[in-house]
Amino acid sequence: MDCKTAPNQGHAAAPSTLGGTMIVAGTVIGAGMLTLPIIAAGMWTGWTLAVLVLSFFMMRASAHMILRANLRYAPGASFDTVVRGTLGRGWNLLNGLSVGFVLYMLMYAYTSGGGATLGHSLGLSWPQGLVSLCFGLLLAACIFWSTRIVDRLSVILMVGMVVAFVAALAGMLPAFRVEHLGDGGTLVAGGERLPRAWYVLATLPYFLTSFCFHASVPSLVKYYGPDEKRIGRCIFYGLLIAGLFYAAWILTGFGVLSREGLRAVYAQGGNISHYLAAVEQVRADAWLGQAVSVFAFLAVVTSFLGAGLGLFDYIADACSFDDRVPGRVKTALVAFAPPVLAGTIFPDGFIMAIGFAGFAAAIWSVIIPALMEWKSLRAHQANRGRLALVWLVLIYGLLSAGFHLLSPDVLDILPVYR
């Protein structure tokens, strides 16, 4: 987003806080939230809300660390410029690789989830891999054609997604059972009875990813200028809106499907189509099925377009491809061929891909911002309270990344409820 006149300069009106809030909320809310009821089934209601609140505050704190680092540069400086200037080329290289890895994993996840959702909603008898291929190619073509198309589609799709979200929740409420939320005690997994708290560990990368918008912070600085308080309000309200969306979606899923129902969804592969089928079994209502399917589909499409545009621009910049047709073709092939083909060959990797994205996101959106803040505070001999917050954020990022390495997708040490 561009702003030719800084806030409060001349007679130009300052940009509203609402606009920045919607940028944050629109970036954060997406297809990743569809996984949350499934991966949170082990820890259940109390621990899920605790992890949701913890992730909100930690990701808000790390965003403010990026903001303060960015304010030491002129408005318009990119995240890449800020990291390189603050931590040096080595950390900047790690940051760039992490961002690229996250974008590729998200594109694979959205290709897989989009194909599954489209096939389920339309009742297609085609192989899911083929549906994922068609889904990915169609949206990749939109991104290749022009950014303006993505812009206009995103506005329409976001409005539709909100309407479908409200309709889906309203349709699921008749099947909601409050007693499901209080189902406690130990859980049986792999023949062992484990306290619910054990299942918190493997969920941290997923909740971290769900609050990740941090690459947009430099855009907010460019838009608002060096107005730290106003940008801080945008971050707070945007993340708060996302957190409320997540809480409503998770608790509704818990109350409708129950813990064992969600465990069965995870055991089938945990793709979006499995979740939709489980909801339809509990409440056999054609209208509800369509509302939930439309919401899930729009969430995946908006996320694909947003992440895809970011990956397209990232590849064009990294490989120095120009913006003419031959250059855009090369950019599209490098950006979209790997994730779309992976979604075609391995169509049930939605949850796994979101977890790997959380691992890399912990590096560039939590660990690196904490290191930038720590370096700045050391230079200015800051108080212990701010240093303590840096350490808390750093530990949160390290644990989130480390726990993913111990998850069943990698070393298979931590328990998951499936």
Side-chain angles (χ1 to χ4, degrees):
M1 185 169 291
D2 191 18
C3 183
K4 296 181 180 179
T5 305
N8 302 321
Q9 182 177 348
H11 299 287
S16 69
T17 302
L18 178 62
T21 299
M22 290 299 101
I23 290 173
V24 175
T27 303
V28 172
I29 298 172
M33 69 178 286
L34 302 173
T35 68
L36 295 181
I38 303 170
I39 61 99
M43 55 184 181
W44 212 236
T45 308
W47 282 107
T48 296
L49 294 177
V51 171
L52 190 66
V53 172
L54 172 68
S55 301
F56 169 87
F57 281 107
M58 290 295 100
M59 296 303 282
R60 179 192 175 211
S62 68
H64 275 269
M65 292 173 184
I66 296 176
L67 173 60
R68 285 189 286 271
N70 201 270
L71 290 175
R72 294 193 286 271
Y73 295 79
S78 67
F79 190 40
D80 179 84
T81 299
V82 173
V83 174
R84 184 172 63 250
T86 306
L87 298 177
R89 293 187 177 277
W91 283 104
N92 187 54
L93 176 61
L94 177 62
N95 179 71
L97 292 174
S98 300
V99 172
F101 182 82
V102 168
L103 291 173
Y104 271 115
M105 293 307 298
L106 290 179
M107 290 299 292
Y108 163 63
Y110 301 151
T111 301
S112 167
T117 306
L118 186 62
H120 177 84
S121 301
L122 299 180
L124 299 177
S125 59
W126 302 356
Q128 185 177 316
L130 179 59
V131 181
S132 296
L133 177 63
C134 295
F135 173 84
L137 289 177
L138 177 62
L139 294 184
C142 293
I143 297 169
F144 166 80
W145 190 256
S146 75
T147 302
R148 184 180 296 274
I149 289 180
V150 175
D151 180 19
R152 292 179 176 177
L153 280 176
S154 296
V155 172
I156 298 171
L157 293 170
M158 278 295 296
V159 173
M161 187 177 73
V162 172
V163 173
F165 177 77
V166 174
L169 291 186
M172 293 169 72
L173 284 179
F176 185 88
R177 298 292 179 266
V178 176
E179 58 268 24
H180 287 170
L181 301 183
D183 187 14
T186 57
L187 308 177
V188 179
E192 299 180 4
R193 298 183 67 83
L194 298 173
R196 286 176 293 168
W198 276 105
Y199 295 93
V200 169
L201 308 182
T203 67
L204 288 181
Y206 296 91
F207 280 85
L208 183 153
T209 307
S210 296
F211 283 105
C212 189
F213 74 101
H214 295 50
S216 299
V217 172
S219 299
L220 293 174
V221 174
K222 183 178 180 180
Y223 186 42
Y224 289 100
D227 191 343
E228 183 176 354
K229 290 185 178 180
R230 184 183 292 271
I231 297 172
R233 289 196 294 270
C234 295
I235 292 172
F236 175 79
Y237 292 126
L239 292 183
L240 180 63
I241 290 171
L244 293 175
F245 264 70
Y246 296 161
W249 180 251
I250 292 169
L251 294 179
T252 301
F254 283 2
V256 171
L257 293 181
S258 79
R259 175 183 287 131
E260 287 303 317
L262 287 166
R263 183 183 185 183
V265 171
Y266 204 163
Q268 294 171 40
N271 215 326
I272 301 172
S273 59
H274 303 136
Y275 184 86
L276 297 177
V279 171
E280 291 171 359
Q281 287 180 0
V282 172
R283 181 162 164 74
D285 187 311
W287 178 85
L288 170 63
Q290 288 301 315
V292 177
S293 296
V294 168
F295 165 65
F297 180 72
L298 293 179
V300 175
V301 171
T302 54
S303 296
F304 188 106
L305 291 174
L309 184 60
L311 180 59
F312 189 89
D313 292 339
Y314 176 85
I315 293 299
D317 180 65
C319 299
S320 300
F321 294 144
D322 60 45
D323 201 41
R324 293 176 296 180
V325 173
R328 291 182 70 84
V329 170
K330 289 187 285 187
T331 302
L333 287 174
V334 175
F336 301 131
V340 170
L341 289 177
T344 303
I345 299 169
F346 307 104
D348 281 326
F350 186 75
I351 287 184
M352 178 198 69
I354 296 293
F356 274 102
F359 166 76
I363 297 173
W364 72 264
S365 68
V366 181
I367 296 173
I368 286 178
L371 293 176
M372 291 195 296
E373 182 85 346
W374 176 74
K375 185 174 181 179
S376 173
L377 293 179
R378 278 189 61 195
H380 296 88
Q381 297 181 341
N383 62 60
R384 293 183 177 180
R386 290 186 63 183
L387 284 171
L389 179 60
V390 171
W391 280 107
L392 285 175
V393 172
L394 184 59
I395 291 170
Y396 170 76
L398 291 171
L399 289 178
S400 297
F403 287 151
H404 179 71
L405 295 178
L406 301 177
S407 72
D409 293 330
V410 188
L411 297 179
D412 198 13
I413 295 175
L414 292 180
V416 296
Y417 194 59
R418 63 183 181 189

